[in-house]
Amino acid sequence: MTVTTPGGNSNPEPFFYVNAPWVTSVSPAAGQFVGGGSVTITGLNLATVQAVDFGSNAGTITGVSDTTVTVTVPRADSVGTVPVTVIQSPGGNTDMPSAYTCLAGPGI
């Protein structure tokens, strides 16, 4: 990349395009709402993932490759389905977040 101004041109610098992350599956797709379980997210362009959100709560990334991200699921705000959003910088977020269902524990 070179910047051109009326005063001249800058030195050329490399510029890299980064593809946005693409998620194809979340496995398992459900778990206890108290969190703590491990989830594997499969897709493309995942090597530079910065965070994975389950609804409004951030998971803890424990492993990353270009095609998988392993995450410890955080405690959910409530029982039900929440979006899973893969956040990458630069490159953006997943356009279509996947879902994870937070299940209630067994009753006593």
Side-chain angles (χ1 to χ4, degrees), residues 41-83:
I41 298 169
T42 304
L44 299 171
N45 310 317
L46 302 175
T48 58
V49 166
Q50 301 294 311
V52 176
D53 288 346
F54 291 77
S56 61
N57 301 310
T60 302
I61 296 173
T62 57
V64 175
S65 76
D66 193 48
T67 57
T68 61
V69 177
T70 307
V71 183
T72 302
V73 179
R75 181 179 179 88
D77 294 327
S78 63
V79 172
T81 301
V82 296

